[in-house]
Amino acid sequence: MDAGDSTHPLPDNHHGLHYMAFMAHISRARDSRRYLEIGVSQGHLLSHIHTETAIAVDPSFQISFNVSENKKAVTLIQAPSDTFFAEYDYEALANGTLDLAFLDGMHTFEYLLRDFYNTEAISSNRTLIVMHDCMPLNAEMADRDQKRSAETGVSTRFPYHWTGDVWKIIPILQTYRPDLRVIYVDCPPTGLVCVTNLDPHSSILKDCYFQIVDEFRALKNDLDAIGAMYRGIEITSSAVITNDHDLTLYFGG
Ligand SMILES: C[S@@+](CC[C@H](N)C(=O)[O-])C[C@H]1O[C@@H](n2cnc3c(N)ncnc32)[C@H](O)[C@@H]1O
């Protein structure tokens, strides 16, 4: 089934490479030396990333994987991302500029909006920011309330897949940052949104924060609204991206 069909507004699934395999490939193929992950939990994804330096941020780590695999240095900052961005100097901590970031912290759109603009502010125009969980597959997983999502989603095809309403970052960036290059990738379970052509000096999202929050809080978080988001994007195959020898076609140099 195609995304955006009016009788079935959401895709039935994402059929590409699992997001961890995709991220492992991207980190190797782009020779990413400095990696930032917001929202780390057990460190499962982090253990797959190839990099020299990783900074990992989570208010409540549950590390149970070998996160030092394929890295020279890993720094764990046990704090909410807002605290991390307010109190730490990324470049001093990582000894250089950010190459690759994965945003997977609190799953409500206003948190992801702040994580995005704070990460962009420490980026260069070569940095790639990847956001998780922005392409939900039903309304239950998109509920802002994680507990209610677990209760209503338990009898769906995707129990305990909580995305919250971070999908709203897609129309936010389309509206406020048309200058960004955004690629929507079909990685299960819930898609990846890859952003390049970043501008660390852009203050539009931060300056308009309350206007954006009020505008997008008013946007419904239901099947029709999520379906409209899907009709406004084109999904790229992760298999095509990872088979291509030249990733600069997608993500720049
Ligand atoms: C889905 S898990 C991350 C999974 C991990 N990225 C992976 O793929 O293996 C989400 C994590 O976000 C963390 N989190 C929640 N609020 C946060 C915040 N304000 N800042 C940073 N992380 C947060 C939670 O503690 C949780 O561990």
Side-chain angles (χ1 to χ4, degrees):
M1 185 193 69
D2 290 329
D5 177 312
S6 59
T7 50
H8 301 281
L10 312 195
D12 62 351
N13 212 333
H14 296 296
H15 296 282
L17 277 183
H18 190 266
Y19 79 99
M20 293 192 197
F22 182 81
M23 288 298 296
H25 177 87
I26 296 293
S27 65
R28 267 196 318 269
R30 281 176 56 90
D31 191 22
S32 296
R33 304 205 173 153
R34 291 178 197 86
Y35 173 74
L36 170 67
E37 186 166 323
I38 302 294
V40 176
S41 189
Q42 301 181 1
H44 199 180
L45 171 64
L46 185 54
S47 69
H48 286 77
I49 298 292
H50 293 242
T51 185
E52 284 181 9
T53 304
I55 311 284
V57 180
D58 198 303
S60 159
F61 285 106
Q62 310 284 326
I63 300 291
S64 55
F65 290 88
N66 178 6
V67 295
S68 66
E69 194 101 343
N70 307 308
K71 299 165 192 75
K72 286 185 181 159
V74 178
T75 305
L76 303 182
I77 306 286
Q78 187 148 269
S81 52
D82 289 323
T83 307
F84 167 71
F85 287 114
E87 296 183 3
Y88 290 83
D89 176 345
Y90 174 82
E91 284 197 20
L93 211 54
N95 204 17
T97 50
L98 176 65
D99 292 317
L100 177 65
F102 190 77
L103 306 186
D104 193 16
M106 184 61 190
H107 286 17
T108 51
F109 82 89
E110 67 278 20
Y111 275 80
L112 181 57
L113 173 58
R114 297 198 300 276
D115 286 344
F116 179 81
Y117 68 62
N118 283 323
T119 303
E120 185 179 28
I122 57 167
S123 295
S124 71
N125 60 1
R126 196 198 167 266
T127 306
L128 170 64
I129 298 180
V130 181
M131 295 183 283
H132 195 215
D133 288 326
C134 299
M135 292 153 67
L137 295 166
N138 61 37
E140 289 82 0
M141 67 170 73
D143 197 315
R144 281 174 64 86
D145 182 331
Q146 183 173 12
K147 195 162 166 275
R148 194 171 51 210
S149 169
E151 285 161 9
T152 59
V154 73
S155 53
T156 68
R157 288 189 301 130
F158 306 102
Y160 307 111
H161 277 63
W162 185 51
T163 63
D165 64 349
V166 292
W167 65 269
K168 290 184 179 179
I169 197 73
I170 293 174
I172 289 173
L173 295 185
Q174 287 170 330
T175 307
Y176 285 87
R177 293 296 306 280
D179 54 312
L180 295 171
R181 177 170 169 82
V182 186
I183 301 200
Y184 308 93
V185 189
D186 66 347
C187 293
T190 45
L192 293 178
V193 175
C194 301
V195 188
T196 53
N197 201 32
L198 298 155
D199 175 5
H201 304 296
S202 174
S203 62
I204 298 167
L205 297 173
K206 193 171 186 180
D207 292 347
C208 298
Y209 176 75
F210 288 112
Q211 177 187 324
I212 297 171
V213 165
D214 290 345
E215 185 181 338
F216 284 87
R217 186 173 50 194
L219 175 63
K220 285 202 170 134
N221 185 26
D222 61 11
L223 274 187
D224 284 348
I226 300 169
M229 175 277 285
Y230 274 108
R231 287 193 296 281
I233 66 175
E234 191 181 318
I235 298 178
T236 302
S237 159
S238 49
V240 170
I241 294 175
T242 51
N243 280 333
D244 217 313
H245 73 283
D246 188 359
L247 288 182
T248 65
L249 281 173
Y250 305 94
F251 305 129

